[in-house]
Amino acid sequence: MTSHGGRRTQAERDAITVEIGYALCSAAFAAAVLFGAVAGPALLFGLPDTVELLLVRAGLVLAPLLFAARVASVLLRFRAADQPSQPGRTSPDS
C-alpha cells in the first residue's frame, strides 16, 4: 500500500523491482570484492596453513555480513526517500 492508501501503480512496482535488483547485484559484487581482498592472498601465495585457514574463514564470515548490510542499506534508503507522486514533479509537501 502506498502512503495515500491506494494500491501501488505499475511504475511504483517497477521501481521497487529495479531497486531490489540493484541491491542484490551491488551487494554480490561488494561481497565478492571483499572476499577476494581478504582470502585472495591465502589462495594465491603459499602462506602457513594457519594463516591460510584464518584468512579464508574471515572472508567467508565477512562477505555474507557485507552482503546483508549492503542490501539492507540500499533498500532502507529507497524506502526512506521521498518519491515524487508523478515523474518530473515535486511532491506537494516541498
Side-chain angles (χ1 to χ4, degrees), residues 6-68:
R7 295 185 59 134
R8 288 189 175 116
T9 65
Q10 184 64 41
E12 290 171 329
R13 290 192 304 266
D14 290 345
I16 291 168
T17 301
V18 168
E19 199 67 21
I20 290 170
Y22 168 73
L24 292 173
C25 289
S26 67
F29 178 75
V33 168
L34 177 78
F35 180 79
V38 173
L43 301 173
L44 291 175
F45 305 117
L47 300 174
D49 291 340
T50 306
V51 175
E52 279 189 20
L53 185 64
L54 180 67
L55 287 175
V56 171
R57 285 190 179 171
L60 289 173
V61 168
L62 293 175
L65 291 176
L66 177 65
F67 180 87

Side-chain angles (χ1 to χ4, degrees), residues 1-4 8-9 11-20 74-94:
M1 302 283 266
T2 61
S3 60
H4 55 79
R8 288 189 175 116
T9 65
E12 290 171 329
R13 290 192 304 266
D14 290 345
I16 291 168
T17 301
V18 168
E19 199 67 21
I20 290 170
V74 169
L75 294 180
L76 289 175
R77 186 177 53 220
F78 175 74
R79 181 177 156 205
D82 290 328
Q83 301 291 323
S85 58
Q86 295 179 352
R89 301 194 182 188
T90 59
S91 63
D93 298 356
S94 60

